[in-house]
Each structure stands twice: as structure tokens, then as C-alpha cells.
Amino acid sequence: MTVETGQETQEARAALPAQSSLSTAAARNLAHTAKSAPLMQEITSRWLLRMLPWVETTGGTYRVNRRLNYTVGDGRIEFFQDGGDVRVVPRELGELALLRGFEDDGVLTALADRCVQRDFRAGEVLVERGTPQEQLQLIAHGRISRTSLGKYGEETGVCVLADGAHFGADALLGTDPLWDATATAETSGTLLTLSRSDFDDVTGQSPALRAHLARFAERGQRGQTKHGEAEIPMSAGHVGEARIPGAFVDYELRPREYELSVAQTILRVHSRVADLYNGPMNQTEEQLRLTIEALRERQEYELVNNREFGLLHNADFKQRIETHSGSPTPDDLDDLLCRRRGTKLFLAHPLTIAAIGRGFNAYGLYPDHVDLGGQQVPAWRGVPILPCNKIPISKEGTSSILAMRTGEDSQGVIGLRQTGLPEEHEPGLSVRFMGMSEQAVISYLVTTYYSAAVLLPDALGVLENVQIFRRRSS
């Protein structure tokens, strides 16, 4: 008779392979007594997946053909930081409309070296309305508001700019413009300035830059719409035999293509569990149900945060705006609404929705409610405000609010998927049997393919740096 000591028993257990499927002890919890189906705290409402119109994507790729745009710049600019010294990344100057597509690193470096750092404090007036516009302003850090005079002489807000934005590019074109708005620092920060004289010096030494600027000026003479698209010449209101201009609609030569992304996992179920513990609940079906729920949660997270196709990273820079005071107000939501036609929904973190409610209450307002699939949800101007806990919250307590127009016919935001997959379990999701291991563990490959596309830039807007934490009362 062999007697095992406690230490030998522990060593024997340690030598066993790690558990890769549901244990029989856990499986028995579903086989006795009155019980619930397995519950899962990770499951959310997933409004984004429910509200996106899903477009069939044959071949795994969706191409967005757009009318040709001439003006593509005005993006965010990044900087090097070495202690208190800040320098613009030379290649990032290509985000300026007049330098878009110019790739001579030597010339861009020369322009970056001419940029002068300026630290400012809260309340400082950086430029005055009506004064000569002589410098390009690149905001490395901080928050700046621009104000101008309204029609009746009152002070009106134009916009709020923050990290990576810029203003005053017209100063480099030699047209002797005046500042049309006053820029005032709301916080302390740093900006870099590039004067017209320094820009002209570098231009005089670079034939390639002079040729690039000449092509830029020529494109401007060909005509653009207010959205930067190539203008379609036409005549209206004429009489007699007036000459009617000919036209054609030019397209982008290199349209963007969205490839379907994938989320996958392998579900493992021991054959003994599948054989013996299937009453009253089918163990394999319950395991698969929870696995699909987790996969759908990951799918929604990727649709919001993925750097390639996620909504937060694919919103056009011109459609990103800042709050006026940090906390969300009705005015902020109106600013977000007015930038697109036919906004179908707002999307915000639940904590952000709570902050929206506090902001409305401060104005003596209360959000309306609309019926959405039999459920009452808060709304503003008839547009539902839907929760999405996949939208991140920064360490500083700020988040973002998304507003979108949806649908292919509306040239909005759409979801992409391909149906008709082998062993398809749900539209765009397949469950494929992978076989059984020598340990009698059955494996299933659970796969879903998806992506999202923003058909026109104004289909998606983001209200950034929304303060959602309560302010400490004084």
C-alpha cells in the first residue's frame, strides 16, 4: 500500500496541465436545482452595433469613392518636447493646406528650425483683431479661444483651439491679411510661430517649394466649394443664347479602402461535460452564448478605438471641436449638431451622459426623451443620446461625445460585414468545429469580421475634452 504525503500530492497536482475547458464541478452547477442561465457582467446595451446600418462587403474590402478635394490639410500637428523646449516635427508641417504633399525633408526641416517658441499664460491676448497677420501660430499645448464682433457689435465666440491646432496660415501667402478674430489664452501653454519673412527666406532658397506653392495657387484659381471640393461650373438665371460652361465631376484618384477586421477566439468544451451535463441547459450552447457576447463587446470596442478604422481616430480634424467651458452644455451640443445634416445619434460614455444632465440642469433645462425600439432614451433636439462605455475617459477626467449621421444613402457612417460565411451562426459570425484533442476537449473557432466606414467627413463629429467629473465647490 502506497501512502502519499501532502507535499507529494501538491507536486502531483502541479504537474497536471493547466485547465483549458469548463470543469465538471462547474458544469454540475447548471445540472441541479432551479437556476438562472449563466450571467455575465461585461454585457452592455451595445447601442453602436444596434444603430449602425450594416453593409454587405463582398471581397472583404469597401472602397469609398469621393469627389476630388483640393484642400486636405488643417490636421493636427505634433511636436518634439525636450524639457521646456518644444520643436515642431518637420514632416507634420505637411498638415498645413499650402504644404500638403510637399515631401522635401530638408526644406521642411529648415522651416521647422525657423519656428520660434512662445510660452503664454491664462488670460493673455495672443493676437488682436484688425492687426496685421504676420505669423503662423502652431499650438503645442494649451487652450485658446477666438472671438470676433457680431453683426450688432457684440463680442461673439468663433471657435476654441487646443493641442495640435493652428491658425494664421494666410500670413504665409503674402496677401497682407488682417486678423479677423482675437485669440485669447484660456489656459497657460506653448505655441510656435513662423513669420512670413522667415518663410519667404526658405522659399527663396528652394525652387521645389516655389514650384509647389505655384501649383497650390493654381489649384485655388480653378475654384473650390466651401467644403474644399472641386467646383462644378454652371450657369443660372441667364436669358437668350448665353454661353453655358461645360463641366465634369472629378473624383479622388486614390480613394480610401476599408478592409474587414477580425475578432476571433477558440471555445473549448470537454466531451464529458457536453455528454453528461446537458440537462436542463445545453452546456455547449451556454458556453457559446457567453463567448459571442464577449466577442461582440470587443467588436464594439474596436469600432470606437481601433487606430485604423475606429470612429474616434477617423473623425475629420475639421469636425473635432472643443467645449466652451469644459463641462458639457446645451451650447456645446448645438455646436456639434450644426456641423452636419441629419444627425441620427449622439454617443457618449454613461458618466458623460450624467455630466450632460448636470450641465442642462445648470441652465434650467432637462433633456427630452424619445422612443427608440420601445425604450425611452434621453435626447437633445430630437437626437437620442446613447451610452457607450467603450469611449475612453482620460486620467484628467475628460472624455468625448460623438455625433453621427448614419446610412449609405445618407452618405453617413456605416458598419461593414460579410454574411454567408461557412458555418455561420449569426450574420457575419461563424462557429467552426476544429476537432477534438487527445484530452477529449472539443474546440470551436468563433470568428466575426467587421469594420466601419465614414463616407463623408461631415458624417462624424467629436466634441473633445469634455470634463465629466464634478467641479469642487469653493
Side-chain angles (χ1 to χ4, degrees):
M1 178 177 177
T2 304
V3 178
E4 293 184 350
T5 65
Q7 181 176 358
E8 291 172 344
T9 302
Q10 292 177 1
E11 291 175 352
R13 290 175 178 172
L16 294 175
Q19 179 180 333
S20 62
S21 65
L22 186 71
S23 67
T24 55
R28 280 196 297 269
N29 289 332
L30 268 65
H32 302 285
T33 75
K35 64 191 71 65
S36 70
L39 307 178
M40 183 174 173
Q41 189 171 344
E42 184 183 4
I43 299 174
T44 64
S45 55
R46 296 198 294 269
W47 277 107
L48 178 58
L49 297 188
R50 294 159 61 181
M51 296 297 291
L52 274 184
W54 292 94
V55 174
E56 185 69 20
T57 309
T58 306
T61 301
Y62 186 94
R63 178 180 298 150
V64 179
N65 290 310
R66 292 177 178 171
R67 187 172 157 189
L68 178 64
N69 271 34
Y70 287 140
T71 307
V72 194
D74 298 334
R76 299 294 177 91
I77 296 178
E78 297 181 2
F79 301 83
F80 292 123
Q81 184 174 4
D82 183 8
D85 296 330
V86 177
R87 293 185 64 248
V88 63
V89 178
R91 275 277 182 177
E92 290 294 309
L93 292 175
E95 294 294 341
L96 300 172
L98 76 165
L99 294 177
R100 187 77 176 186
F102 185 72
E103 298 181 352
D104 189 323
D105 289 339
V107 175
L108 292 176
T109 300
L111 290 173
D113 290 340
R114 298 292 185 106
C115 292
V116 179
Q117 180 174 338
R118 176 182 177 182
D119 296 321
F120 55 85
R121 63 184 184 277
E124 183 176 349
V125 176
L126 303 176
V127 299
E128 284 275 6
R129 180 181 57 255
T131 59
Q133 192 177 138
E134 298 176 343
Q135 294 176 323
L136 166 69
Q137 314 278 336
L138 309 174
I139 305 173
H141 178 65
R143 180 182 168 98
I144 296 172
S145 63
R146 303 188 69 204
T147 58
S148 186
L149 284 181
K151 181 177 180 179
Y152 302 103
E154 76 281 8
E155 194 79 8
T156 59
V158 176
C159 63
V160 178
L161 304 175
D163 302 14
H166 63 83
F167 59 100
D170 291 344
L172 306 182
L173 298 177
T175 56
D176 297 321
L178 300 178
W179 288 111
D180 59 356
T182 298
T184 306
E186 292 189 355
T187 66
S188 59
T190 300
L191 57 78
L192 300 181
T193 62
L194 177 62
S195 68
R196 176 178 164 182
S197 59
D198 285 336
F199 184 79
D200 289 343
D201 286 345
V202 175
T203 303
Q205 300 172 23
S206 172
L209 181 55
R210 291 198 298 272
H212 175 83
L213 294 176
R215 290 192 297 271
F216 176 81
E218 180 183 354
R219 290 197 299 268
Q221 293 171 1
R222 287 174 59 186
Q224 306 171 18
T225 69
K226 65 180 181 179
H227 303 291
E229 296 174 332
E231 188 176 18
I232 302 175
M234 61 184 65
S235 177
H238 53 274
V239 295
E241 297 181 354
R243 183 180 181 86
I244 301 175
F248 68 94
V249 181
D250 208 353
Y251 301 131
E252 291 182 351
L253 295 179
R254 296 180 180 178
R256 178 168 179 181
E257 294 184 346
Y258 292 85
E259 294 185 1
L260 292 185
S261 184
V262 61
Q264 290 179 312
T265 188
I266 296 175
L267 171 63
R268 295 185 176 93
V269 181
H270 199 284
S271 60
R272 181 167 51 179
V273 170
D275 292 341
L276 302 180
Y277 300 99
N278 272 339
M281 298 180 186
N282 187 298
Q283 294 285 356
T284 302
E285 289 183 0
E286 293 299 326
Q287 289 278 295
L288 181 59
R289 178 178 65 84
L290 295 182
T291 300
I292 291 175
E293 292 283 2
L295 209 59
R296 293 300 192 193
E297 292 291 331
R298 181 56 182 264
Q299 178 182 352
E300 187 175 63
Y301 174 86
E302 293 292 322
L303 288 173
V304 173
N305 296 286
N306 187 282
R307 295 194 64 84
E308 294 296 324
F309 57 85
L311 300 181
L312 282 177
H313 296 281
N314 280 271
D316 189 88
F317 289 124
K318 293 180 181 179
Q319 296 296 325
R320 300 173 186 263
I321 62 174
E322 297 281 330
T323 61
H324 290 280
S325 59
S327 299
T329 66
D331 292 338
D332 293 324
L333 294 188
D334 282 342
D335 286 347
L336 195 55
L337 270 179
C338 71
R339 289 175 172 262
R340 71 200 42 78
R341 56 179 171 82
T343 302
K344 291 296 184 182
L345 60 100
F346 292 109
L347 207 63
H349 193 282
L351 292 177
T352 307
I353 295 178
I356 291 174
R358 292 194 297 270
F360 278 42
N361 292 343
Y363 279 73
L365 299 174
Y366 300 92
D368 298 327
H369 283 75
V370 297
D371 184 277
L372 208 59
Q375 183 174 347
Q376 293 292 313
V377 297
W380 178 244
R381 309 289 190 194
V383 179
I385 305 172
L386 303 178
C388 178
N389 68 342
K390 314 305 187 301
I391 299 176
I393 298 176
S394 70
K395 295 180 180 179
E396 294 77 23
T398 61
S399 188
S400 300
I401 300 174
L402 283 71
M404 66 184 77
R405 179 177 70 246
T406 59
E408 201 172 24
D409 292 339
S410 300
Q411 304 177 100
V413 181
I414 58 174
L416 305 176
R417 70 182 180 192
Q418 185 175 141
T419 58
L421 301 173
E423 301 181 53
E424 190 170 60
H425 185 78
E426 295 178 359
L429 185 146
S430 66
V431 180
R432 308 180 74 171
F433 176 69
M434 296 178 62
M436 183 182 297
S437 71
E438 295 180 354
Q439 290 77 31
V441 176
I442 307 170
S443 297
Y444 299 90
L445 177 65
V446 187
T447 305
T448 182
Y449 298 99
Y450 59 90
S451 187
V454 183
L455 300 186
L456 283 182
D458 73 339
L460 175 66
V462 182
L463 180 65
E464 297 185 316
N465 297 318
V466 179
Q467 184 68 43
I468 63 176
F469 292 166
R470 292 178 181 270
R471 295 183 183 274
R472 187 177 291 179
S473 58
S474 56

